[in-house]
Amino acid sequence: LKRLLRIELLNFEIDLLKYISNSSINSIILHSNFTTMFYLLFSFMKNINKTWVCWGSIYNPKRSNFIKYTLGIYLYKIIYNNYSNIICTMQADCDHLIKLFNVKNTCFIPYYSDLCIVAKSLIKEEIKNNNIRVLLGNSGSCIDSYFDDLRKLGNYIDKNIEIDCMLNYGCTETRKLNLIKTATSLFGSQFKAHTTLLPKEQYYNFMSNCDIYISSVKAQSGLGAIYL
């Protein structure tokens, strides 16, 4: 149960819940990936018109554990059906919400971005480096998969690789520090954690100098990184 709910709320989630509770907001749009506990607490705020823009972060339970599967479906039926509207950027997400959680209030709006157009207009800042630069993930939202990824990348530690990991949002401070400690023990100075958000232009130039991008989760994650 504790693992399912992810009891530890992120700092920004606590601040957001406090702000909503203490304000006179009557309508709100969410566009982020939150913990289950945040979603559950937020669903109890009945006096707010709630809209969620979903970009691939729908709860996807594993049937191997019947108790966890049943409890997860029950909780997320409560959560999803407490939204006034759910906007999905992929049709498959709409279908998943309707089929598994009996959601009636969902609609499909295709994902649009000017990333590629803007990126092409930038002057690429070439970094003279013979090392292979690996970007691990796009944020801390998939941090649980990074530990295994790092162990596998350890097989190539003598191949002149540099590993960059985006941890600027999406995970708890404790989990982030644990990953940095693990990665540093394996790769030393060959590992770099990015814990602050980069300006758009700087992020594009950073991406243009990465040789390999690793996204080891099946759910939609890091569309911007994939497009670039």
PDB file of all heavy atoms in Angstrom, residues 50-56 58 80-110:
ATOM      1  N   LYS A  50     -11.961  20.745 -11.762  1.00  0.00           N
ATOM      2  CA  LYS A  50     -10.618  20.221 -12.002  1.00  0.00           C
ATOM      3  C   LYS A  50     -10.474  19.662 -13.418  1.00  0.00           C
ATOM      4  O   LYS A  50     -11.270  18.818 -13.832  1.00  0.00           O
ATOM      5  CB  LYS A  50     -10.280  19.134 -10.977  1.00  0.00           C
ATOM      6  CG  LYS A  50     -10.309  19.614  -9.536  1.00  0.00           C
ATOM      7  CD  LYS A  50      -9.893  18.526  -8.574  1.00  0.00           C
ATOM      8  CE  LYS A  50     -10.987  17.501  -8.341  1.00  0.00           C
ATOM      9  NZ  LYS A  50     -12.084  18.065  -7.517  1.00  0.00           N
ATOM     10  N   THR A  51      -9.436  20.117 -14.125  1.00  0.00           N
ATOM     11  CA  THR A  51      -9.099  19.584 -15.448  1.00  0.00           C
ATOM     12  C   THR A  51      -7.659  19.095 -15.421  1.00  0.00           C
ATOM     13  O   THR A  51      -6.774  19.779 -14.893  1.00  0.00           O
ATOM     14  CB  THR A  51      -9.241  20.665 -16.536  1.00  0.00           C
ATOM     15  OG1 THR A  51     -10.609  21.065 -16.622  1.00  0.00           O
ATOM     16  CG2 THR A  51      -8.795  20.130 -17.895  1.00  0.00           C
ATOM     17  N   TRP A  52      -7.437  17.932 -15.978  1.00  0.00           N
ATOM     18  CA  TRP A  52      -6.088  17.358 -16.016  1.00  0.00           C
ATOM     19  C   TRP A  52      -5.671  17.137 -17.460  1.00  0.00           C
ATOM     20  O   TRP A  52      -6.393  16.509 -18.231  1.00  0.00           O
ATOM     21  CB  TRP A  52      -6.067  16.036 -15.257  1.00  0.00           C
ATOM     22  CG  TRP A  52      -4.744  15.339 -15.254  1.00  0.00           C
ATOM     23  CD1 TRP A  52      -3.510  15.895 -15.073  1.00  0.00           C
ATOM     24  CD2 TRP A  52      -4.516  13.926 -15.424  1.00  0.00           C
ATOM     25  NE1 TRP A  52      -2.528  14.931 -15.119  1.00  0.00           N
ATOM     26  CE2 TRP A  52      -3.112  13.724 -15.336  1.00  0.00           C
ATOM     27  CE3 TRP A  52      -5.348  12.833 -15.626  1.00  0.00           C
ATOM     28  CZ2 TRP A  52      -2.535  12.456 -15.452  1.00  0.00           C
ATOM     29  CZ3 TRP A  52      -4.781  11.583 -15.742  1.00  0.00           C
ATOM     30  CH2 TRP A  52      -3.385  11.391 -15.657  1.00  0.00           C
ATOM     31  N   VAL A  53      -4.521  17.697 -17.838  1.00  0.00           N
ATOM     32  CA  VAL A  53      -3.944  17.452 -19.158  1.00  0.00           C
ATOM     33  C   VAL A  53      -2.972  16.280 -19.007  1.00  0.00           C
ATOM     34  O   VAL A  53      -1.933  16.394 -18.368  1.00  0.00           O
ATOM     35  CB  VAL A  53      -3.210  18.695 -19.701  1.00  0.00           C
ATOM     36  CG1 VAL A  53      -2.615  18.388 -21.075  1.00  0.00           C
ATOM     37  CG2 VAL A  53      -4.155  19.880 -19.779  1.00  0.00           C
ATOM     38  N   CYS A  54      -3.331  15.164 -19.603  1.00  0.00           N
ATOM     39  CA  CYS A  54      -2.565  13.926 -19.435  1.00  0.00           C
ATOM     40  C   CYS A  54      -1.643  13.695 -20.621  1.00  0.00           C
ATOM     41  O   CYS A  54      -2.071  13.733 -21.767  1.00  0.00           O
ATOM     42  CB  CYS A  54      -3.533  12.753 -19.296  1.00  0.00           C
ATOM     43  SG  CYS A  54      -2.749  11.150 -19.417  1.00  0.00           S
ATOM     44  N   TRP A  55      -0.363  13.454 -20.342  1.00  0.00           N
ATOM     45  CA  TRP A  55       0.595  13.198 -21.416  1.00  0.00           C
ATOM     46  C   TRP A  55       1.333  11.881 -21.186  1.00  0.00           C
ATOM     47  O   TRP A  55       2.543  11.812 -21.149  1.00  0.00           O
ATOM     48  CB  TRP A  55       1.583  14.346 -21.561  1.00  0.00           C
ATOM     49  CG  TRP A  55       1.985  14.998 -20.271  1.00  0.00           C
ATOM     50  CD1 TRP A  55       1.356  16.012 -19.626  1.00  0.00           C
ATOM     51  CD2 TRP A  55       3.130  14.674 -19.458  1.00  0.00           C
ATOM     52  NE1 TRP A  55       2.022  16.346 -18.469  1.00  0.00           N
ATOM     53  CE2 TRP A  55       3.109  15.545 -18.344  1.00  0.00           C
ATOM     54  CE3 TRP A  55       4.157  13.730 -19.567  1.00  0.00           C
ATOM     55  CZ2 TRP A  55       4.073  15.500 -17.337  1.00  0.00           C
ATOM     56  CZ3 TRP A  55       5.111  13.691 -18.557  1.00  0.00           C
ATOM     57  CH2 TRP A  55       5.066  14.571 -17.460  1.00  0.00           C
ATOM     58  N   GLY A  56       0.543  10.814 -20.976  1.00  0.00           N
ATOM     59  CA  GLY A  56       1.139   9.491 -20.889  1.00  0.00           C
ATOM     60  C   GLY A  56       1.388   8.988 -19.496  1.00  0.00           C
ATOM     61  O   GLY A  56       2.058   7.974 -19.314  1.00  0.00           O
ATOM     62  N   ILE A  58      -0.867   7.942 -17.166  1.00  0.00           N
ATOM     63  CA  ILE A  58      -2.009   7.231 -16.592  1.00  0.00           C
ATOM     64  C   ILE A  58      -1.516   6.031 -15.789  1.00  0.00           C
ATOM     65  O   ILE A  58      -0.576   5.340 -16.189  1.00  0.00           O
ATOM     66  CB  ILE A  58      -2.966   6.765 -17.705  1.00  0.00           C
ATOM     67  CG1 ILE A  58      -3.581   7.974 -18.396  1.00  0.00           C
ATOM     68  CG2 ILE A  58      -4.067   5.874 -17.146  1.00  0.00           C
ATOM     69  CD1 ILE A  58      -4.424   7.621 -19.591  1.00  0.00           C
ATOM     70  N   TYR A  80      -9.691   9.701 -11.074  1.00  0.00           N
ATOM     71  CA  TYR A  80      -9.967  10.140 -12.444  1.00  0.00           C
ATOM     72  C   TYR A  80     -11.400  10.635 -12.620  1.00  0.00           C
ATOM     73  O   TYR A  80     -11.647  11.581 -13.381  1.00  0.00           O
ATOM     74  CB  TYR A  80      -9.681   9.006 -13.432  1.00  0.00           C
ATOM     75  CG  TYR A  80      -8.219   8.655 -13.542  1.00  0.00           C
ATOM     76  CD1 TYR A  80      -7.815   7.334 -13.764  1.00  0.00           C
ATOM     77  CD2 TYR A  80      -7.233   9.623 -13.433  1.00  0.00           C
ATOM     78  CE1 TYR A  80      -6.464   7.004 -13.878  1.00  0.00           C
ATOM     79  CE2 TYR A  80      -5.892   9.306 -13.534  1.00  0.00           C
ATOM     80  CZ  TYR A  80      -5.508   7.988 -13.758  1.00  0.00           C
ATOM     81  OH  TYR A  80      -4.179   7.664 -13.861  1.00  0.00           O
ATOM     82  N   ASN A  81     -12.346  10.024 -11.918  1.00  0.00           N
ATOM     83  CA  ASN A  81     -13.737  10.417 -12.087  1.00  0.00           C
ATOM     84  C   ASN A  81     -14.115  11.644 -11.266  1.00  0.00           C
ATOM     85  O   ASN A  81     -15.253  12.101 -11.319  1.00  0.00           O
ATOM     86  CB  ASN A  81     -14.661   9.248 -11.751  1.00  0.00           C
ATOM     87  CG  ASN A  81     -14.698   8.211 -12.863  1.00  0.00           C
ATOM     88  OD1 ASN A  81     -15.317   8.430 -13.893  1.00  0.00           O
ATOM     89  ND2 ASN A  81     -13.998   7.094 -12.668  1.00  0.00           N
ATOM     90  N   ASN A  82     -13.150  12.176 -10.516  1.00  0.00           N
ATOM     91  CA  ASN A  82     -13.368  13.426  -9.801  1.00  0.00           C
ATOM     92  C   ASN A  82     -12.939  14.637 -10.617  1.00  0.00           C
ATOM     93  O   ASN A  82     -13.116  15.783 -10.177  1.00  0.00           O
ATOM     94  CB  ASN A  82     -12.633  13.420  -8.463  1.00  0.00           C
ATOM     95  CG  ASN A  82     -13.513  12.957  -7.322  1.00  0.00           C
ATOM     96  OD1 ASN A  82     -14.364  13.697  -6.844  1.00  0.00           O
ATOM     97  ND2 ASN A  82     -13.341  11.711  -6.913  1.00  0.00           N
ATOM     98  N   TYR A  83     -12.339  14.401 -11.797  1.00  0.00           N
ATOM     99  CA  TYR A  83     -12.000  15.507 -12.688  1.00  0.00           C
ATOM    100  C   TYR A  83     -13.224  15.895 -13.512  1.00  0.00           C
ATOM    101  O   TYR A  83     -13.997  15.041 -13.937  1.00  0.00           O
ATOM    102  CB  TYR A  83     -10.865  15.115 -13.634  1.00  0.00           C
ATOM    103  CG  TYR A  83      -9.512  15.011 -12.969  1.00  0.00           C
ATOM    104  CD1 TYR A  83      -8.918  13.772 -12.773  1.00  0.00           C
ATOM    105  CD2 TYR A  83      -8.840  16.153 -12.547  1.00  0.00           C
ATOM    106  CE1 TYR A  83      -7.688  13.667 -12.157  1.00  0.00           C
ATOM    107  CE2 TYR A  83      -7.603  16.059 -11.938  1.00  0.00           C
ATOM    108  CZ  TYR A  83      -7.032  14.815 -11.743  1.00  0.00           C
ATOM    109  OH  TYR A  83      -5.809  14.723 -11.122  1.00  0.00           O
ATOM    110  N   SER A  84     -13.355  17.189 -13.737  1.00  0.00           N
ATOM    111  CA  SER A  84     -14.423  17.652 -14.624  1.00  0.00           C
ATOM    112  C   SER A  84     -14.100  17.277 -16.061  1.00  0.00           C
ATOM    113  O   SER A  84     -14.977  16.916 -16.841  1.00  0.00           O
ATOM    114  CB  SER A  84     -14.579  19.171 -14.507  1.00  0.00           C
ATOM    115  OG  SER A  84     -14.837  19.541 -13.169  1.00  0.00           O
ATOM    116  N   ASN A  85     -12.797  17.364 -16.401  1.00  0.00           N
ATOM    117  CA  ASN A  85     -12.342  17.008 -17.747  1.00  0.00           C
ATOM    118  C   ASN A  85     -10.939  16.421 -17.672  1.00  0.00           C
ATOM    119  O   ASN A  85     -10.124  16.848 -16.850  1.00  0.00           O
ATOM    120  CB  ASN A  85     -12.294  18.244 -18.662  1.00  0.00           C
ATOM    121  CG  ASN A  85     -13.641  18.892 -18.841  1.00  0.00           C
ATOM    122  OD1 ASN A  85     -14.493  18.391 -19.562  1.00  0.00           O
ATOM    123  ND2 ASN A  85     -13.844  20.028 -18.166  1.00  0.00           N
ATOM    124  N   ILE A  86     -10.669  15.456 -18.540  1.00  0.00           N
ATOM    125  CA  ILE A  86      -9.313  14.934 -18.719  1.00  0.00           C
ATOM    126  C   ILE A  86      -8.975  15.049 -20.197  1.00  0.00           C
ATOM    127  O   ILE A  86      -9.650  14.466 -21.046  1.00  0.00           O
ATOM    128  CB  ILE A  86      -9.174  13.475 -18.268  1.00  0.00           C
ATOM    129  CG1 ILE A  86      -9.485  13.341 -16.769  1.00  0.00           C
ATOM    130  CG2 ILE A  86      -7.757  12.964 -18.550  1.00  0.00           C
ATOM    131  CD1 ILE A  86      -9.379  11.915 -16.248  1.00  0.00           C
ATOM    132  N   ILE A  87      -7.937  15.824 -20.496  1.00  0.00           N
ATOM    133  CA  ILE A  87      -7.492  16.020 -21.877  1.00  0.00           C
ATOM    134  C   ILE A  87      -6.283  15.131 -22.134  1.00  0.00           C
ATOM    135  O   ILE A  87      -5.271  15.236 -21.433  1.00  0.00           O
ATOM    136  CB  ILE A  87      -7.126  17.489 -22.132  1.00  0.00           C
ATOM    137  CG1 ILE A  87      -8.345  18.389 -21.887  1.00  0.00           C
ATOM    138  CG2 ILE A  87      -6.595  17.681 -23.551  1.00  0.00           C
ATOM    139  CD1 ILE A  87      -8.021  19.869 -21.891  1.00  0.00           C
ATOM    140  N   CYS A  88      -6.381  14.261 -23.108  1.00  0.00           N
ATOM    141  CA  CYS A  88      -5.286  13.348 -23.438  1.00  0.00           C
ATOM    142  C   CYS A  88      -4.591  13.796 -24.714  1.00  0.00           C
ATOM    143  O   CYS A  88      -5.248  14.209 -25.673  1.00  0.00           O
ATOM    144  CB  CYS A  88      -5.806  11.927 -23.623  1.00  0.00           C
ATOM    145  SG  CYS A  88      -6.553  11.218 -22.142  1.00  0.00           S
ATOM    146  N   THR A  89      -3.274  13.701 -24.726  1.00  0.00           N
ATOM    147  CA  THR A  89      -2.518  14.059 -25.932  1.00  0.00           C
ATOM    148  C   THR A  89      -2.320  12.855 -26.850  1.00  0.00           C
ATOM    149  O   THR A  89      -1.765  12.996 -27.932  1.00  0.00           O
ATOM    150  CB  THR A  89      -1.155  14.650 -25.551  1.00  0.00           C
ATOM    151  OG1 THR A  89      -0.427  13.696 -24.766  1.00  0.00           O
ATOM    152  CG2 THR A  89      -1.321  15.926 -24.733  1.00  0.00           C
ATOM    153  N   MET A  90      -2.741  11.673 -26.398  1.00  0.00           N
ATOM    154  CA  MET A  90      -2.680  10.460 -27.218  1.00  0.00           C
ATOM    155  C   MET A  90      -4.022   9.744 -27.130  1.00  0.00           C
ATOM    156  O   MET A  90      -4.580   9.608 -26.032  1.00  0.00           O
ATOM    157  CB  MET A  90      -1.554   9.532 -26.749  1.00  0.00           C
ATOM    158  CG  MET A  90      -0.165  10.122 -26.846  1.00  0.00           C
ATOM    159  SD  MET A  90       1.137   8.892 -26.518  1.00  0.00           S
ATOM    160  CE  MET A  90       0.730   8.393 -24.838  1.00  0.00           C
ATOM    161  N   GLN A  91      -4.538   9.280 -28.251  1.00  0.00           N
ATOM    162  CA  GLN A  91      -5.824   8.593 -28.282  1.00  0.00           C
ATOM    163  C   GLN A  91      -5.800   7.338 -27.419  1.00  0.00           C
ATOM    164  O   GLN A  91      -6.800   6.977 -26.770  1.00  0.00           O
ATOM    165  CB  GLN A  91      -6.196   8.220 -29.719  1.00  0.00           C
ATOM    166  CG  GLN A  91      -7.569   7.554 -29.853  1.00  0.00           C
ATOM    167  CD  GLN A  91      -8.697   8.446 -29.388  1.00  0.00           C
ATOM    168  OE1 GLN A  91      -8.809   9.584 -29.817  1.00  0.00           O
ATOM    169  NE2 GLN A  91      -9.525   7.938 -28.489  1.00  0.00           N
ATOM    170  N   ALA A  92      -4.651   6.676 -27.369  1.00  0.00           N
ATOM    171  CA  ALA A  92      -4.536   5.449 -26.579  1.00  0.00           C
ATOM    172  C   ALA A  92      -4.807   5.703 -25.098  1.00  0.00           C
ATOM    173  O   ALA A  92      -5.362   4.845 -24.397  1.00  0.00           O
ATOM    174  CB  ALA A  92      -3.140   4.848 -26.755  1.00  0.00           C
ATOM    175  N   ASP A  93      -4.437   6.896 -24.615  1.00  0.00           N
ATOM    176  CA  ASP A  93      -4.696   7.236 -23.221  1.00  0.00           C
ATOM    177  C   ASP A  93      -6.191   7.394 -22.959  1.00  0.00           C
ATOM    178  O   ASP A  93      -6.708   6.969 -21.921  1.00  0.00           O
ATOM    179  CB  ASP A  93      -3.962   8.521 -22.841  1.00  0.00           C
ATOM    180  CG  ASP A  93      -2.466   8.314 -22.679  1.00  0.00           C
ATOM    181  OD1 ASP A  93      -2.056   7.153 -22.479  1.00  0.00           O
ATOM    182  OD2 ASP A  93      -1.710   9.294 -22.759  1.00  0.00           O
ATOM    183  N   CYS A  94      -6.889   8.017 -23.898  1.00  0.00           N
ATOM    184  CA  CYS A  94      -8.352   8.136 -23.781  1.00  0.00           C
ATOM    185  C   CYS A  94      -8.992   6.755 -23.699  1.00  0.00           C
ATOM    186  O   CYS A  94      -9.848   6.494 -22.847  1.00  0.00           O
ATOM    187  CB  CYS A  94      -8.921   8.902 -24.971  1.00  0.00           C
ATOM    188  SG  CYS A  94      -8.639  10.675 -24.938  1.00  0.00           S
ATOM    189  N   ASP A  95      -8.572   5.886 -24.601  1.00  0.00           N
ATOM    190  CA  ASP A  95      -9.122   4.526 -24.634  1.00  0.00           C
ATOM    191  C   ASP A  95      -8.845   3.782 -23.333  1.00  0.00           C
ATOM    192  O   ASP A  95      -9.703   3.053 -22.820  1.00  0.00           O
ATOM    193  CB  ASP A  95      -8.520   3.754 -25.807  1.00  0.00           C
ATOM    194  CG  ASP A  95      -8.872   4.371 -27.155  1.00  0.00           C
ATOM    195  OD1 ASP A  95      -9.854   5.131 -27.219  1.00  0.00           O
ATOM    196  OD2 ASP A  95      -8.140   4.104 -28.136  1.00  0.00           O
ATOM    197  N   HIS A  96      -7.643   3.985 -22.784  1.00  0.00           N
ATOM    198  CA  HIS A  96      -7.245   3.322 -21.540  1.00  0.00           C
ATOM    199  C   HIS A  96      -8.106   3.817 -20.374  1.00  0.00           C
ATOM    200  O   HIS A  96      -8.568   3.017 -19.545  1.00  0.00           O
ATOM    201  CB  HIS A  96      -5.765   3.611 -21.271  1.00  0.00           C
ATOM    202  CG  HIS A  96      -5.178   2.807 -20.163  1.00  0.00           C
ATOM    203  ND1 HIS A  96      -5.093   1.432 -20.183  1.00  0.00           N
ATOM    204  CD2 HIS A  96      -4.628   3.196 -18.966  1.00  0.00           C
ATOM    205  CE1 HIS A  96      -4.530   0.998 -19.074  1.00  0.00           C
ATOM    206  NE2 HIS A  96      -4.238   2.046 -18.317  1.00  0.00           N
ATOM    207  N   LEU A  97      -8.330   5.107 -20.300  1.00  0.00           N
ATOM    208  CA  LEU A  97      -9.145   5.678 -19.227  1.00  0.00           C
ATOM    209  C   LEU A  97     -10.584   5.169 -19.281  1.00  0.00           C
ATOM    210  O   LEU A  97     -11.195   4.859 -18.252  1.00  0.00           O
ATOM    211  CB  LEU A  97      -9.134   7.204 -19.330  1.00  0.00           C
ATOM    212  CG  LEU A  97      -7.866   7.913 -18.854  1.00  0.00           C
ATOM    213  CD1 LEU A  97      -7.866   9.365 -19.313  1.00  0.00           C
ATOM    214  CD2 LEU A  97      -7.727   7.835 -17.343  1.00  0.00           C
ATOM    215  N   ILE A  98     -11.126   5.076 -20.487  1.00  0.00           N
ATOM    216  CA  ILE A  98     -12.513   4.635 -20.659  1.00  0.00           C
ATOM    217  C   ILE A  98     -12.658   3.153 -20.323  1.00  0.00           C
ATOM    218  O   ILE A  98     -13.570   2.747 -19.598  1.00  0.00           O
ATOM    219  CB  ILE A  98     -12.977   4.902 -22.103  1.00  0.00           C
ATOM    220  CG1 ILE A  98     -13.036   6.416 -22.357  1.00  0.00           C
ATOM    221  CG2 ILE A  98     -14.333   4.259 -22.357  1.00  0.00           C
ATOM    222  CD1 ILE A  98     -13.234   6.786 -23.810  1.00  0.00           C
ATOM    223  N   LYS A  99     -11.736   2.342 -20.825  1.00  0.00           N
ATOM    224  CA  LYS A  99     -11.837   0.895 -20.673  1.00  0.00           C
ATOM    225  C   LYS A  99     -11.557   0.420 -19.249  1.00  0.00           C
ATOM    226  O   LYS A  99     -12.295  -0.414 -18.697  1.00  0.00           O
ATOM    227  CB  LYS A  99     -10.864   0.206 -21.640  1.00  0.00           C
ATOM    228  CG  LYS A  99     -10.911  -1.311 -21.582  1.00  0.00           C
ATOM    229  CD  LYS A  99      -9.944  -1.929 -22.585  1.00  0.00           C
ATOM    230  CE  LYS A  99      -9.968  -3.454 -22.527  1.00  0.00           C
ATOM    231  NZ  LYS A  99      -9.017  -4.062 -23.497  1.00  0.00           N
ATOM    232  N   LEU A 100     -10.493   0.962 -18.632  1.00  0.00           N
ATOM    233  CA  LEU A 100     -10.046   0.437 -17.339  1.00  0.00           C
ATOM    234  C   LEU A 100     -10.659   1.180 -16.149  1.00  0.00           C
ATOM    235  O   LEU A 100     -10.876   0.593 -15.091  1.00  0.00           O
ATOM    236  CB  LEU A 100      -8.517   0.503 -17.257  1.00  0.00           C
ATOM    237  CG  LEU A 100      -7.822  -0.420 -16.261  1.00  0.00           C
ATOM    238  CD1 LEU A 100      -8.206  -1.875 -16.515  1.00  0.00           C
ATOM    239  CD2 LEU A 100      -6.310  -0.267 -16.364  1.00  0.00           C
ATOM    240  N   PHE A 101     -10.954   2.473 -16.325  1.00  0.00           N
ATOM    241  CA  PHE A 101     -11.407   3.268 -15.183  1.00  0.00           C
ATOM    242  C   PHE A 101     -12.815   3.857 -15.370  1.00  0.00           C
ATOM    243  O   PHE A 101     -13.263   4.645 -14.548  1.00  0.00           O
ATOM    244  CB  PHE A 101     -10.412   4.404 -14.915  1.00  0.00           C
ATOM    245  CG  PHE A 101      -9.018   3.916 -14.653  1.00  0.00           C
ATOM    246  CD1 PHE A 101      -8.057   3.936 -15.665  1.00  0.00           C
ATOM    247  CD2 PHE A 101      -8.659   3.410 -13.413  1.00  0.00           C
ATOM    248  CE1 PHE A 101      -6.760   3.479 -15.427  1.00  0.00           C
ATOM    249  CE2 PHE A 101      -7.369   2.963 -13.168  1.00  0.00           C
ATOM    250  CZ  PHE A 101      -6.421   2.995 -14.179  1.00  0.00           C
ATOM    251  N   ASN A 102     -13.485   3.473 -16.462  1.00  0.00           N
ATOM    252  CA  ASN A 102     -14.870   3.918 -16.731  1.00  0.00           C
ATOM    253  C   ASN A 102     -15.008   5.438 -16.725  1.00  0.00           C
ATOM    254  O   ASN A 102     -16.006   5.983 -16.251  1.00  0.00           O
ATOM    255  CB  ASN A 102     -15.837   3.309 -15.704  1.00  0.00           C
ATOM    256  CG  ASN A 102     -15.861   1.805 -15.753  1.00  0.00           C
ATOM    257  OD1 ASN A 102     -15.798   1.205 -16.824  1.00  0.00           O
ATOM    258  ND2 ASN A 102     -15.916   1.171 -14.590  1.00  0.00           N
ATOM    259  N   VAL A 103     -13.995   6.117 -17.243  1.00  0.00           N
ATOM    260  CA  VAL A 103     -14.015   7.575 -17.279  1.00  0.00           C
ATOM    261  C   VAL A 103     -14.892   8.048 -18.445  1.00  0.00           C
ATOM    262  O   VAL A 103     -14.764   7.569 -19.562  1.00  0.00           O
ATOM    263  CB  VAL A 103     -12.583   8.134 -17.426  1.00  0.00           C
ATOM    264  CG1 VAL A 103     -12.609   9.644 -17.629  1.00  0.00           C
ATOM    265  CG2 VAL A 103     -11.753   7.794 -16.195  1.00  0.00           C
ATOM    266  N   LYS A 104     -15.786   9.008 -18.171  1.00  0.00           N
ATOM    267  CA  LYS A 104     -16.699   9.524 -19.187  1.00  0.00           C
ATOM    268  C   LYS A 104     -16.317  10.923 -19.669  1.00  0.00           C
ATOM    269  O   LYS A 104     -16.843  11.403 -20.676  1.00  0.00           O
ATOM    270  CB  LYS A 104     -18.125   9.580 -18.614  1.00  0.00           C
ATOM    271  CG  LYS A 104     -18.600   8.294 -17.960  1.00  0.00           C
ATOM    272  CD  LYS A 104     -18.701   7.144 -18.942  1.00  0.00           C
ATOM    273  CE  LYS A 104     -19.260   5.891 -18.259  1.00  0.00           C
ATOM    274  NZ  LYS A 104     -19.282   4.722 -19.168  1.00  0.00           N
ATOM    275  N   ASN A 105     -15.420  11.559 -18.942  1.00  0.00           N
ATOM    276  CA  ASN A 105     -15.159  12.985 -19.162  1.00  0.00           C
ATOM    277  C   ASN A 105     -13.792  13.229 -19.810  1.00  0.00           C
ATOM    278  O   ASN A 105     -13.055  14.115 -19.401  1.00  0.00           O
ATOM    279  CB  ASN A 105     -15.222  13.734 -17.823  1.00  0.00           C
ATOM    280  CG  ASN A 105     -14.332  13.083 -16.762  1.00  0.00           C
ATOM    281  OD1 ASN A 105     -13.898  11.949 -16.913  1.00  0.00           O
ATOM    282  ND2 ASN A 105     -14.052  13.795 -15.698  1.00  0.00           N
ATOM    283  N   THR A 106     -13.456  12.429 -20.815  1.00  0.00           N
ATOM    284  CA  THR A 106     -12.139  12.563 -21.441  1.00  0.00           C
ATOM    285  C   THR A 106     -12.268  12.973 -22.915  1.00  0.00           C
ATOM    286  O   THR A 106     -13.256  12.646 -23.565  1.00  0.00           O
ATOM    287  CB  THR A 106     -11.342  11.243 -21.337  1.00  0.00           C
ATOM    288  OG1 THR A 106     -10.053  11.417 -21.907  1.00  0.00           O
ATOM    289  CG2 THR A 106     -12.063  10.114 -22.066  1.00  0.00           C
ATOM    290  N   CYS A 107     -11.253  13.693 -23.391  1.00  0.00           N
ATOM    291  CA  CYS A 107     -11.236  14.077 -24.806  1.00  0.00           C
ATOM    292  C   CYS A 107      -9.787  14.052 -25.305  1.00  0.00           C
ATOM    293  O   CYS A 107      -8.846  14.152 -24.517  1.00  0.00           O
ATOM    294  CB  CYS A 107     -11.852  15.452 -25.022  1.00  0.00           C
ATOM    295  SG  CYS A 107     -10.959  16.806 -24.235  1.00  0.00           S
ATOM    296  N   PHE A 108      -9.631  13.923 -26.606  1.00  0.00           N
ATOM    297  CA  PHE A 108      -8.312  13.798 -27.225  1.00  0.00           C
ATOM    298  C   PHE A 108      -7.950  15.081 -27.968  1.00  0.00           C
ATOM    299  O   PHE A 108      -8.668  15.533 -28.841  1.00  0.00           O
ATOM    300  CB  PHE A 108      -8.317  12.605 -28.192  1.00  0.00           C
ATOM    301  CG  PHE A 108      -7.113  12.539 -29.099  1.00  0.00           C
ATOM    302  CD1 PHE A 108      -5.828  12.518 -28.581  1.00  0.00           C
ATOM    303  CD2 PHE A 108      -7.273  12.511 -30.483  1.00  0.00           C
ATOM    304  CE1 PHE A 108      -4.720  12.451 -29.422  1.00  0.00           C
ATOM    305  CE2 PHE A 108      -6.181  12.454 -31.329  1.00  0.00           C
ATOM    306  CZ  PHE A 108      -4.892  12.424 -30.790  1.00  0.00           C
ATOM    307  N   ILE A 109      -6.821  15.685 -27.577  1.00  0.00           N
ATOM    308  CA  ILE A 109      -6.268  16.847 -28.279  1.00  0.00           C
ATOM    309  C   ILE A 109      -4.816  16.514 -28.619  1.00  0.00           C
ATOM    310  O   ILE A 109      -4.005  16.341 -27.712  1.00  0.00           O
ATOM    311  CB  ILE A 109      -6.334  18.123 -27.421  1.00  0.00           C
ATOM    312  CG1 ILE A 109      -7.785  18.458 -27.069  1.00  0.00           C
ATOM    313  CG2 ILE A 109      -5.673  19.290 -28.162  1.00  0.00           C
ATOM    314  CD1 ILE A 109      -7.934  19.686 -26.201  1.00  0.00           C
ATOM    315  N   PRO A 110      -4.468  16.379 -29.894  1.00  0.00           N
ATOM    316  CA  PRO A 110      -3.106  15.965 -30.289  1.00  0.00           C
ATOM    317  C   PRO A 110      -2.032  16.883 -29.729  1.00  0.00           C
ATOM    318  O   PRO A 110      -2.233  18.091 -29.567  1.00  0.00           O
ATOM    319  CB  PRO A 110      -3.147  16.030 -31.822  1.00  0.00           C
ATOM    320  CG  PRO A 110      -4.583  15.928 -32.164  1.00  0.00           C
ATOM    321  CD  PRO A 110      -5.330  16.605 -31.052  1.00  0.00           C
TER     322      PRO A 110
END
